[in-house]
Amino acid sequence: MPSILDKVNMNAGKLEHKFSCRNLTKLLWLVTLIPTAMLTAVGVAAEVKFSGVVDVRAHVVSSDASSASYLKGDYGKFRFDDGLGFSLGQLGLKSQLSFDNNWSATIVANAFSEEGHLEAGITEAYARYKGVPNASGWRWGAKVGLFYPEISLEHIATAWSNPYTLTSSALNNWVGEELRSLGGSLSIEKLGKFRRSDHDFSFSFSAFQNNDPAGAMLAWHGWTIGSRQTLTQERLVIPYFPALSADLSFQARHSDPFLELDDRWGIHLHGNWRHKKGAKLTAGFYDNHAREGIVKQGHYTWTTRFSHLGGKYKIAKNIELIGQYLGGNTYMTSPTGVNVVNNDFSTGYVLLRYFIGSSQIAARAELFDVDDKDSLPGDNNNENGKALTLSYRHQLSRQSFIYGEYNWVSSSRAARMYAWQPEPLIERQYQLGYRFYF
């Protein structure tokens, strides 16, 4: 018997704005030709570099009750639906044009597929300045364009890929889904080696726009464990809940996280400490500074603020420990000032990576929750859960790797009752993957 979700949105099996193979070819040409055109236009000494990643996978997903992926507007925690499938985990291409005046220009394009539906688009495009350190080790930097906030300690490889595991933590999966913005960043760095110190420090301040709806998907589908970056042109399917037919009847049935609705600037502050023997600590504060009560074509402003902490520590030559925590609040009000949706949220993970010859074993444990603080009927966003990831990676050559991974998620989400699903749910995912970096 079809669920309420099936009746309301029979086409929720796809993200909007599909791209054909012809579009993908055009996109790759764009990433290749723009730097060449820039080089010709400026007429100065420069160097063009291309790099990328190809990630293909086979997966099996099973759960205690039938539940489709969050990408389809359902309440499943994984990128893929129940059952066996094959996918393009990621096709990423990075094009970087470096000038001899310490400036560079970067464009990153990505393509993904789920169940044969190919999506391709730009994920980052920015210019960057990296100054020369002075005699005391101080160095200035700047970045302007479309880029990720400095949060993730997992996504450190080409095209914002994750070399540790096939799936991201809930924390960084949300960053990839909703946190991308257009703006600029200024940074200052103190390099310890200029004063015979083992310590490096840096601080950055970013101002941005085009992130006013960020927080909507965290409220309405909750935390997820995936490996998908939202492309700039994509809109995300919102799960069905009764308030969409009542108090939130003006809400669009999709969310576009990269809209600018109020012409205000958000901020992100980020600090970093590094020790040459393998320790790193980061901390930051993010506020999109959205003005309350604005709605345009079904998209509302969401005021989203959070703090984040993270660290890496090299316990031994072949053992690394990584941990991150993020917590904050997101809320949305009506044009008349009524507090419609108001959620506190938090998540954290610990990851241990162990090298054995040409192989890597990674284990990640995490907790997540959403605390619904409003009283809107038909929109219960309360959620809590835990997840475990065990991943094995073997290096075949300098550029190629094979992966085997197991993911387990146990979560309780009240909104599942709107789709006739049990609130508590255990989901499991098995993946085999091959990655090639170039």
Side-chain angles (χ1 to χ4, degrees), residues 132-402:
V132 177
N134 64 20
S136 299
W138 291 99
R139 175 167 63 187
W140 288 93
K143 183 187 286 189
V144 60
L146 177 74
F147 53 88
Y148 283 103
E150 292 186 74
I151 296 175
S152 180
L153 296 180
E154 292 182 304
H155 293 263
I156 59 174
T158 304
W160 212 71
S161 59
N162 177 353
Y164 300 100
T165 58
L166 291 175
T167 54
S168 302
S169 63
L171 187 157
N172 288 305
N173 201 56
W174 180 52
V175 174
E177 182 177 39
E178 287 200 287
L179 299 186
R180 203 105 30 83
S181 50
L182 190 66
S185 174
L186 289 174
S187 63
I188 185 169
E189 185 177 13
K190 179 67 167 67
L191 302 176
K193 64 182 180 180
F194 285 78
R195 285 290 186 263
R196 298 182 179 180
S197 171
D198 294 338
H199 305 273
D200 295 339
F201 299 92
S202 65
F203 176 80
S204 66
F205 169 81
S206 301
F208 58 85
Q209 291 190 325
N210 296 85
N211 227 166
D212 288 333
M217 300 310 295
L218 184 56
W220 285 332
H221 69 39
W223 296 103
T224 55
I225 312 293
S227 54
R228 186 69 153 73
Q229 302 173 49
T230 302
L231 307 172
T232 54
Q233 81 283 351
E234 284 188 304
R235 295 181 292 176
L236 308 174
V237 182
I238 295 174
Y240 171 77
F241 51 93
L244 286 174
S245 302
D247 298 86
L248 284 173
S249 59
F250 292 106
Q251 169 66 46
R253 291 308 311 272
H254 59 266
S255 176
D256 186 342
F258 312 132
L259 286 179
E260 181 55 40
L261 301 174
D262 61 3
D263 297 322
R264 296 175 69 174
W265 291 84
I267 62 168
H268 180 224
L269 306 176
H270 178 260
N272 185 62
W273 166 79
R274 296 185 304 273
H275 190 274
K276 75 172 188 178
K277 292 186 177 180
K280 178 179 181 178
L281 292 176
T282 68
F285 174 74
Y286 179 102
D287 184 353
N288 71 350
H289 202 224
R291 190 187 304 275
E292 300 175 2
I294 294 179
V295 55
K296 295 180 180 179
Q297 297 182 342
H299 298 282
Y300 289 77
T301 52
W302 288 70
T303 304
T304 301
R305 304 183 182 100
F306 60 84
S307 299
H308 59 92
L309 300 169
K312 288 187 177 183
Y313 180 62
K314 202 166 186 179
I315 300 173
K317 185 178 180 180
N318 62 335
I319 304 175
E320 184 179 29
L321 181 67
I322 306 174
Q324 286 192 266
Y325 170 82
L326 183 151
N329 174 264
T330 184
Y331 68 93
M332 179 259 278
T333 64
S334 71
T336 58
V338 177
N339 191 4
V340 180
V341 183
N342 189 343
N343 296 317
D344 287 342
F345 56 84
S346 67
T347 186
Y349 73 88
V350 176
L351 183 149
L352 185 68
R353 177 163 73 160
Y354 179 62
F355 288 99
I356 309 173
S358 299
S359 298
Q360 165 196 289
I361 298 173
R364 184 181 63 221
E366 51 192 308
L367 299 172
F368 54 85
D369 72 82
V370 177
D371 181 14
D372 192 328
K373 300 174 63 180
D374 63 77
S375 57
L376 180 68
D379 180 33
N380 190 337
N381 299 313
N382 281 311
E383 173 180 89
N384 64 80
K386 51 193 174 184
L388 176 66
T389 294
L390 298 174
S391 183
Y392 173 78
R393 185 190 78 179
H394 180 72
Q395 186 170 4
L396 299 173
S397 67
R398 186 176 65 88
Q399 298 170 286
S400 61
F401 305 83
I402 56 172

Side-chain angles (χ1 to χ4, degrees), residues 9-229:
N9 193 354
M10 298 299 291
N11 294 319
K14 305 179 216 174
L15 288 169
E16 299 186 41
H17 298 289
K18 301 301 174 193
F19 272 68
S20 66
C21 291
R22 180 181 298 177
N23 296 122
L24 177 58
T25 302
K26 290 180 180 178
L27 182 67
L28 297 181
W29 272 105
L30 178 69
V31 176
T32 304
L33 291 178
I34 283 182
T36 306
M38 290 176 61
L39 177 58
T40 303
V42 297
V44 298
E47 179 183 12
V48 181
K49 291 183 179 180
F50 298 99
S51 57
V53 57
V54 179
D55 176 335
V56 291
R57 305 181 192 180
H59 59 268
V60 176
V61 177
S62 64
S63 61
D64 290 350
S66 179
S67 181
S69 166
Y70 68 92
L71 292 175
K72 289 188 172 182
D74 208 340
Y75 293 102
K77 292 300 181 186
F78 294 130
R79 171 180 171 181
F80 307 112
D81 294 340
D82 279 11
L84 170 67
F86 301 90
S87 67
L88 175 64
Q90 180 181 9
L91 172 60
L93 180 62
K94 178 181 179 181
S95 175
Q96 185 174 58
L97 176 64
S98 299
F99 300 95
D100 61 0
N101 58 1
N102 302 321
W103 279 94
S104 64
T106 300
I107 299 176
V108 181
N110 274 291
F112 307 91
S113 74
E114 293 86 25
E115 298 183 355
H117 300 296
L118 180 68
E119 304 285 348
I122 300 295
T123 48
E124 294 185 272
Y126 57 86
R128 185 175 186 176
Y129 172 79
K130 193 172 185 178
V132 177
N134 64 20
S136 299
W138 291 99
R139 175 167 63 187
W140 288 93
K143 183 187 286 189
V144 60
L146 177 74
F147 53 88
Y148 283 103
E150 292 186 74
I151 296 175
S152 180
L153 296 180
E154 292 182 304
H155 293 263
I156 59 174
T158 304
W160 212 71
S161 59
N162 177 353
Y164 300 100
T165 58
L166 291 175
T167 54
S168 302
S169 63
L171 187 157
N172 288 305
N173 201 56
W174 180 52
V175 174
E177 182 177 39
E178 287 200 287
L179 299 186
R180 203 105 30 83
S181 50
L182 190 66
S185 174
L186 289 174
S187 63
I188 185 169
E189 185 177 13
K190 179 67 167 67
L191 302 176
K193 64 182 180 180
F194 285 78
R195 285 290 186 263
R196 298 182 179 180
S197 171
D198 294 338
H199 305 273
D200 295 339
F201 299 92
S202 65
F203 176 80
S204 66
F205 169 81
S206 301
F208 58 85
Q209 291 190 325
N210 296 85
N211 227 166
D212 288 333
M217 300 310 295
L218 184 56
W220 285 332
H221 69 39
W223 296 103
T224 55
I225 312 293
S227 54
R228 186 69 153 73
Q229 302 173 49

